[in-house]
Amino acid sequence: MVIIGIDPGSRVTGYGVIRFEGGNPYYLGSGCIRTGQGPLFSKLKTIYMGVSTIVEQFKPDVMAIEETFLSKNVQSTVKLSEARASAMVAGANLGLDVFEYTPLQIKQAVVGYGAAQKYQVQYMVRTILHLSGNPQSDAADALACAICHGFTYAVTKAMGKFVADGGSSRGRLRRK
């Protein structure tokens, strides 16, 4: 299974692509979509086009995306949600099921601690994927999201009690 992970942002959207095979993740690629200056609609188009291009290049089977967290700044939360929606629609339009994970779920899956710091996530992504250096912060978060989905899927599949529920919310899996 090939998984694209997305760490959405209105200025920088991180992406990470892994192949998950035999319970192990393997690095395929990662980077950032930088939206630059300009009106929001232009930034959203850049995210949409960037994610579409990456999906067409790597041909993932599913998308895993970080859920929006609520911040004290309502405008920031709204812009983040719009960037996230742009990425999700790009994946969905190309036939991907989209799975959502909270930052807590992602950190627990990758670091083992839900309140982990960014540098800890970067280090564990580097270690798990056997990379020579730490990926850029947004790309590391996206890779962590993809790893989280791979681990979640592998564990529940191994248990034989669940199947993936495409398009589900919060990375939930449903009973057979």
Side-chain angles (χ1 to χ4, degrees):
M1 170 173 42
V2 176
I3 307 164
I4 182 170
I6 300 289
D7 178 41
S10 61
R11 292 185 194 132
V12 179
T13 292
Y15 69 90
V17 185
I18 63 169
R19 183 179 42 130
F20 210 85
E21 190 176 295
N24 296 307
Y26 299 93
Y27 178 83
L28 296 178
S30 64
C32 295
I33 301 165
R34 299 187 187 282
T35 61
Q37 300 297 317
L40 181 61
F41 74 86
S42 178
K43 292 179 178 191
L44 297 177
K45 180 180 178 182
T46 299
I47 294 166
Y48 179 89
M49 298 302 292
V51 170
S52 296
T53 299
I54 294 158
V55 168
E56 289 171 353
Q57 176 185 353
F58 286 99
K59 304 196 182 334
D61 300 302
V62 295
M63 174 186 284
I65 192 165
E66 186 174 308
E67 281 191 354
T68 303
F69 57 89
L70 298 176
S71 77
K72 291 181 182 180
N73 184 334
V74 176
Q75 287 295 344
S76 294
T77 301
V78 170
K79 286 180 184 178
L80 176 60
S81 296
E82 292 170 332
R84 187 173 168 274
S86 184
M88 291 173 74
V89 170
N93 277 347
L94 291 169
L96 299 181
D97 287 336
V98 178
F99 294 85
E100 303 169 75
Y101 294 93
T102 66
L104 177 73
Q105 288 173 307
I106 295 166
K107 290 174 183 177
Q108 284 178 328
V110 175
V111 180
Y113 176 58
Q117 300 296 312
K118 282 205 173 276
Y119 75 90
Q120 292 171 307
V121 172
Q122 283 179 300
Y123 175 80
M124 287 307 297
V125 165
R126 173 182 161 188
T127 302
I128 291 168
L129 296 176
H130 307 290
L131 303 176
S132 60
N134 285 343
Q136 193 272 341
S137 179
D138 296 297
D141 288 349
L143 286 165
C145 191
I147 292 167
C148 175
H149 179 72
F151 285 162
T152 301
Y153 182 81
V155 167
T156 53
K157 184 178 176 186
M159 290 172 51
K161 295 181 181 180
F162 299 92
V163 296
D165 183 12
S168 68
S169 175
R170 297 186 183 185
R172 289 187 194 132
L173 301 170
R174 65 178 168 84
R175 292 191 181 278
K176 278 187 179 178

